[in-house]
Amino acid sequence: MNNYKNIAIVMLMLFTTTFIFGQRKPDKSKIRTLKVAYLTEQLEFTPTEAEAFWPIYNTYQDKMDAFRNKERNLIYGKTNDMETLSDQEVNSLLEDLIILEDEKNKVNKQFLKDIRKVISAKKTFLLLKSENGFKRHLLKQYRQKKTNGQR
C-alpha cells in the first residue's frame, strides 16, 4: 500500500512539474504546490506530524518571501543604477542589508526551534536537505526546457 502511495506522489510530482514548466512563466502558487508535494514525499510525515508541521512551515515561508521581496525592492532594486548613487547612499543600503540579514537569521533560528518540537531532528535535517533538492530539481527542469528551445 505504501508503495502505491509513493508511486502516486511521484506521478503527481511529474505531472505537476510538466504542467508547471509547460506554461510560459510558472507562478509562485504552482511552485509552492509542487514544493509541498516534494517535501511530503521526501519527509514521509505521519498525519500528526503533517498537521503540526505545515502551519509552522507555511508561516516561515511567508516570512521568507517577505524578506526576499523587501531585499529585492528596497535594496537591490536601488543598486541597478549604482553609478548614480553616492557613497553615503550605498553605505545606507549596505546597512539596511545587514539589518535585513540579521532579521532573517532570527527568523531561521526561531523556525528551527519551532519545527524541532513537531518533527524529529533527523527529519529537520532531511527537510533542509530536501529544500535544496527541490531547488536543484526546479533548476534542472528549467535548464532542460531552455536547452530544448522552450521557455
Side-chain angles (χ1 to χ4, degrees):
M1 184 71 177
N2 200 15
N3 277 342
Y4 292 116
K5 178 182 168 190
N6 288 340
I7 291 170
I9 290 173
V10 170
M11 294 300 290
L12 175 67
M13 281 182 49
L14 289 173
F15 174 75
T16 307
T17 302
T18 303
F19 177 75
I20 285 175
F21 288 99
Q23 305 298 315
R24 187 130 173 98
K25 183 179 176 186
D27 64 33
K28 290 179 184 178
S29 65
K30 290 178 184 175
I31 292 172
R32 207 169 201 177
T33 300
L34 183 58
K35 187 175 186 179
V36 166
Y38 185 86
L39 293 178
T40 299
E41 177 195 3
Q42 296 297 310
L43 297 172
E44 297 179 342
F45 290 127
T46 66
T48 304
E49 287 174 328
E51 186 177 333
F53 173 82
W54 288 113
I56 295 169
Y57 187 79
N58 289 335
T59 299
Y60 167 74
Q61 285 298 299
D62 290 342
K63 288 178 182 178
M64 296 311 289
D65 285 346
F67 282 129
R68 283 188 286 276
N69 288 335
K70 190 173 185 181
E71 193 174 63
R72 184 173 42 254
N73 296 330
L74 299 179
I75 297 171
Y76 292 114
K78 294 178 181 177
T79 61
N80 289 337
D81 296 322
M82 188 68 84
E83 310 303 319
T84 63
L85 297 175
S86 69
D87 286 344
Q88 184 179 1
E89 290 171 318
V90 174
N91 277 323
S92 177
L93 287 173
L94 190 55
E95 278 302 313
D96 291 344
L97 180 60
I98 290 168
I99 291 167
L100 189 64
E101 289 298 325
D102 284 343
E103 290 173 7
K104 266 200 282 191
N105 284 332
K106 287 177 187 173
V107 169
N108 280 324
K109 281 182 183 178
Q110 189 60 51
F111 170 71
L112 291 174
K113 289 176 183 178
D114 292 343
I115 213 67
R116 76 193 286 184
K117 295 174 187 173
V118 298
I119 61 174
S120 69
K122 189 179 255 185
K123 279 193 179 180
T124 300
F125 274 102
L126 185 57
L127 166 67
L128 299 174
K129 185 178 176 182
S130 297
E131 285 184 313
N132 287 328
F134 177 74
K135 290 174 193 171
R136 283 192 305 276
H137 176 74
L138 280 183
L139 286 171
K140 183 179 176 183
Q141 292 285 327
Y142 176 76
R143 287 182 186 129
Q144 285 175 343
K145 290 288 184 180
K146 194 172 180 181
T147 57
N148 292 337
Q150 299 172 348
R151 275 199 112 212

